[in-house]
Amino acid sequence: MPTEIIGLLRSKLTFKWPDGCETVIGARDLRMRCHCAQCVDEHTGEPLLDSGRVGQNIRAKNIRLVGQYGISIDWTESPCANIYTFRDLRALCDCDACKALRAQGKKPGGAS
């Protein structure tokens, strides 16, 4: 679980992790990664979300915790029943330390 989430109405969201790493991702990029039933076909896994319909200026207008495993985001431009797990968010970390762990076959955040 992140120690801090920064990103309401910003172009990028930042997730600060207990080990000091920070995952930074563009709001639009994160919106495009949604796996809810409105965005991905539940049976085929095919994307339903048309990237051309997601504006460059999309922002997170509300971020809520979902249990101890993730967050739900209300976006400014599109209704969506999304949940982003902390595991998936942490996997997006692109810092040198996390890259080095992945190169060793380990997962960032202490899980292997």
Side-chain angles (χ1 to χ4, degrees):
M1 176 179 258
T3 56
E4 187 175 7
I5 301 171
I6 304 165
L8 287 179
L9 301 176
R10 297 183 185 201
S11 62
K12 294 185 180 196
L13 286 87
T14 301
F15 301 89
K16 295 185 178 187
W17 304 99
D19 63 359
C21 284
E22 291 185 7
T23 301
V24 180
I25 185 167
R28 186 177 188 281
D29 293 337
L30 187 57
R31 172 65 183 96
M32 294 303 301
R33 291 177 177 269
C34 182
H35 291 106
C36 81
Q38 293 172 323
C39 297
V40 176
D41 186 285
E42 294 179 82
H43 301 290
T44 66
E46 293 295 317
L48 300 173
L49 181 59
D50 178 4
S51 64
R53 296 181 58 142
V54 179
Q56 295 296 324
N57 292 324
I58 193 165
R59 303 291 186 262
K61 64 180 179 180
N62 191 19
I63 301 172
R64 294 179 303 283
L65 286 174
V66 177
Q68 296 289 316
Y69 67 92
I71 57 171
S72 177
I73 299 176
D74 295 331
W75 297 104
T76 54
E77 296 179 20
S78 60
C80 181
N82 65 77
I83 293 176
Y84 300 91
T85 66
F86 295 136
R87 180 180 302 156
D88 289 344
L89 292 168
R90 182 56 196 257
L92 298 174
C93 188
D94 201 29
C95 76
D96 291 339
C98 289
K99 286 180 187 176
L101 284 172
R102 286 188 199 98
Q104 298 171 17
K106 298 178 182 176
K107 294 182 182 178
S112 30

